[in-house]
Amino acid sequence: MSAGLARLADGTPGADLVRGTVSPGALAFVFTGQGSQRPGMTAELYRTSAEYAAALDEVCASLDPWLRRPLRDVLFAAEGSDEAALLDRTEFTQPALFAVEVALFRYAEHCGLTPRFLLGHSVGELAAAHVAGVLSLADACTLVAARGRLMQDRPATGAMVSVQATEDELAPFVSESVTLAALNGPASTVIAGDEDAVLAVAAHWAARDARRNDCGSATRSTPRTWTGCSRSSAGSPPD
């Protein structure tokens, strides 16, 4: 990513760069979901912007009654500390992301940025719904805290896999242990459920693709992916 940003900065073209012009009045904001959190996120902005600090304080005040620790203590904890580790627990991750996203939106408004479109993924959908006026701050905070707490309480033995297959092709593999979780495209379907059962289905389709393409398509590319697999950890299901 840093290499791509460097090429963008110096004007060097690249296959991974897309350039364009935003039309006046067509600005869109996208609110991210779980996985974008990091210790101390926006701490410097909180120290230097009274507007941002006030907005974050307001959201934290509505979330704190639902949390077992004050949210700012978790957000701005020193990296490597026990408090910072809580940020990766869904019960705190989702409230933290919601608070930061809403406060950043209020700060953007203060700076004169007004989007025409609002989009969000997972907990980001709730941030988008709140700033769009669909949910009050109190209702949104209640929902976000409950969502994070319920997801935290789910077993930590599940898995999700993105399989290059259609919904109909995967339908025979649906069982009490495996379910269809999302349709990412006509031939890209996410399955979820018990880890062993999910990985068995993924292995079946990886082997089929390997036979079809005469190449090993089932490769472990990152610690958290295996043919598109995400495993839950520390009691936090994939978002």
Side-chain angles (χ1 to χ4, degrees), residues 171-216:
F173 295 89
V174 173
S175 66
E176 292 185 359
S177 301
V178 178
T179 187
L180 302 182
L183 302 177
N184 290 338
S188 179
T189 305
V190 177
I191 58 174
D194 177 76
E195 182 173 353
D196 291 340
V198 167
L199 293 182
V201 175
H204 168 84
W205 283 94
R208 186 206 67 164
D209 289 343
R211 291 192 299 270
R212 175 181 295 177
N213 301 324
D214 193 28
C215 67

Side-chain angles (χ1 to χ4, degrees), residues 19-183:
R19 299 172 184 272
T21 302
V22 178
S23 300
L27 183 64
F29 284 0
V30 181
F31 298 86
T32 186
Q34 190 167 330
S36 56
Q37 71 277 3
R38 62 177 177 82
M41 57 184 179
T42 72
E44 184 175 353
L45 182 60
Y46 184 86
R47 291 192 299 268
T48 57
S49 169
E51 292 78 17
Y52 176 77
L56 187 69
D57 287 347
E58 181 183 15
V59 183
C60 288
S62 291
L63 283 166
D64 281 349
W66 302 105
L67 306 176
R68 54 189 177 88
R69 294 276 188 91
L71 186 56
R72 274 177 314 211
D73 291 353
V74 177
L75 272 173
F76 300 148
E79 189 168 2
S81 66
D82 291 342
E83 289 78 9
L86 293 175
L87 192 60
D88 288 326
R89 291 181 60 84
T90 301
E91 61 181 309
F92 286 102
T93 306
Q94 298 202 9
L97 287 174
F98 175 83
V100 167
E101 290 173 356
V102 170
L104 285 173
F105 179 86
R106 300 304 179 201
Y107 180 69
E109 283 187 317
H110 168 75
C111 294
L113 296 174
T114 303
R116 183 176 176 185
F117 304 103
L118 296 168
L119 301 91
H121 167 67
S122 188
V123 69
E125 294 179 78
L126 300 181
H130 164 59
V131 300
V134 176
L135 295 171
S136 70
L137 180 60
D139 287 345
C141 288
T142 302
L143 179 57
V144 167
R147 185 180 193 267
R149 185 170 59 251
L150 289 171
M151 290 181 68
Q152 181 69 50
D153 289 341
R154 296 296 300 162
T157 57
M160 299 181 73
V161 181
S162 179
V163 180
Q164 295 303 304
T166 67
E167 179 181 8
D168 290 340
E169 287 175 320
L170 286 170
F173 295 89
V174 173
S175 66
E176 292 185 359
S177 301
V178 178
T179 187
L180 302 182
L183 302 177

